[in-house]
Amino acid sequence: MKEKVFAQVYSMIRTFPEGLVDALHYFSEVGYDGVELVGNNTDGLSIEEFVKLLQELNLKVYSIHSVNEKDDIVLAKALGVQYLAASFSPDPITREDIIKECEALNKKGEALAKEGIKVCIHNHADEFRFVKGEEGQTRIYDLLLEHTDPRYVGFELDVGWAARAGVDSIRYIKNNPGRFPLIHVKECCQAGQCPEDMEHFPKRIFNDGRLKKTEDGVPILTEEMEHELYESRNWNRGLGTGIIDWKALTEAGDAQGCIAYINEREYYHYNGSDGTNRSCVKLDYDYLRSL
């Protein structure tokens, strides 16, 4: 784990733009080797000031979870970032549709390669759904691996969401060497038992008439809805307390070239934690360093 223990800043600040500077100071204080950023958020600092801060805190940045690609590229180039990560949730999920999406990803990756950047697909549980008409045989993720060009498209495997979907991340890593430069570290205490368990944003929260949006289309969640969304992540527990074999997983990841294990926390309340983001960030860091 030498120089590979990273943190996704979402674990501390979620998607709020404020608080990033304080979070970076805390990640550095704990001992993390680096962070993964969300979009082009610099918490109000100029790009030059932001680059200097990261250098002073001795935090490496290999990847940005892309939100607004054009602006993200500007920050990525200033930081020397190698990967822009983005989620992939196709609908419908026929073989033909997915292959078309893969062709688009290859073109996008080829264009980004001219900027010195590689596309990296970040998964939730959706990508492990079965392809329509091929239930029990072929998963969306299988087609993504098969039909994307390794020169331009990599994968940031979120092993927590994969475990929630009931799949074996270690098998995917071993069977596709070199495709996983980044691995999202996230514990899972139980595989999902029904489609709703796999949802990133549970439909019961967003489709019951309560959801309002700003003029720009940004969801406005009530405190009650925020709580429901948070509680839907209670399958995410402290590293080493769930169903993932972390020793075997990191051995497989190292063997195929993973450069960063990026800790991301969805849920803070579990035995051993005081229920705060800082507590979980530190506990997960200690576990990763022990591997």
Side-chain angles (χ1 to χ4, degrees), residues 34-270:
V35 295
E36 179 176 68
L37 302 173
V38 175
N40 66 323
N41 177 23
T42 63
D43 202 1
L45 298 179
S46 68
I47 289 181
E48 293 76 15
E49 291 170 334
F50 193 65
V51 170
K52 183 179 179 183
L53 174 65
L54 288 165
Q55 291 172 342
E56 291 173 348
L57 296 176
N58 200 30
L59 291 172
K60 304 181 186 72
V61 181
Y62 294 151
S63 56
I64 293 175
H65 193 96
S66 188
V67 177
N68 184 329
E69 185 177 302
K70 183 178 178 181
D71 293 336
D72 299 341
I73 289 173
V74 174
L75 181 59
K77 291 179 72 172
L79 291 169
V81 163
Q82 302 172 43
Y83 300 98
L84 282 187
S87 300
F88 178 90
S89 296
D91 192 23
I93 56 173
T94 65
R95 173 177 283 266
E96 293 75 16
D97 288 324
I98 296 163
I99 291 175
K100 284 182 182 178
E101 290 292 338
C102 288
E103 292 170 354
L105 281 167
N106 288 334
K107 289 180 181 179
K108 177 180 177 179
E110 186 173 6
L112 279 177
K114 296 175 183 178
E115 306 284 354
I117 301 169
K118 191 170 185 174
V119 173
C120 230
I121 299 173
H122 175 83
N123 65 280
H124 296 110
D126 282 350
E127 292 81 355
F128 295 103
R129 289 178 291 167
F130 286 107
V131 176
K132 187 176 181 180
E134 301 180 44
E135 288 79 10
Q137 300 177 43
T138 309
R139 298 182 188 273
I140 294 171
Y141 208 71
D142 300 331
L143 293 185
L144 291 174
L145 284 161
E146 181 181 354
H147 292 281
T148 51
D149 190 328
R151 293 175 299 173
Y152 306 126
V153 180
F155 288 79
E156 179 179 72
L157 180 58
D158 188 310
V159 299
W161 278 110
R164 185 64 170 165
V167 303
D168 183 358
S169 293
I170 297 172
R171 180 179 65 81
Y172 270 104
I173 293 169
K174 288 183 174 180
N175 289 347
N176 300 277
R179 299 305 304 274
F180 302 99
L182 307 170
I183 292 177
H184 258 220
V185 172
K186 187 177 293 167
E187 187 60 270
C188 175
C189 65
Q190 184 183 31
Q193 304 301 307
C194 63
E196 187 176 82
D197 289 345
M198 316 297 177
E199 293 172 357
H200 188 216
F201 296 109
K203 292 184 179 64
R204 68 177 185 276
I205 301 173
F206 292 90
N207 294 348
D208 63 2
R210 290 180 293 165
L211 182 64
K212 308 298 181 184
K213 294 184 179 181
T214 67
E215 292 182 359
D216 297 327
V218 178
I220 303 173
L221 301 181
T222 65
E223 185 174 338
E224 180 184 28
M225 294 168 72
E226 286 274 12
H227 178 72
E228 288 180 50
L229 179 60
Y230 180 65
E231 286 297 321
S232 74
R233 301 291 207 272
N234 65 8
W235 53 265
N236 175 217
R237 300 301 170 97
L239 295 181
T241 67
I243 61 178
I244 298 173
D245 184 341
W246 290 105
K247 187 175 187 299
L249 190 140
T250 53
E251 286 177 353
D254 286 345
Q256 65 86 59
C258 178
I259 61 172
Y261 294 92
I262 305 168
N263 182 47
E264 183 180 44
R265 172 66 66 157
E266 304 273 358
Y267 191 81
Y268 305 136
H269 293 87
Y270 67 93

Side-chain angles (χ1 to χ4, degrees), residues 14-50:
R14 297 302 190 233
T15 56
F16 298 106
E18 300 84 8
L20 177 59
V21 169
D22 287 341
L24 293 175
H25 276 277
Y26 185 67
F27 288 130
S28 178
E29 177 186 327
V30 168
Y32 279 89
D33 298 311
V35 295
E36 179 176 68
L37 302 173
V38 175
N40 66 323
N41 177 23
T42 63
D43 202 1
L45 298 179
S46 68
I47 289 181
E48 293 76 15
E49 291 170 334
F50 193 65

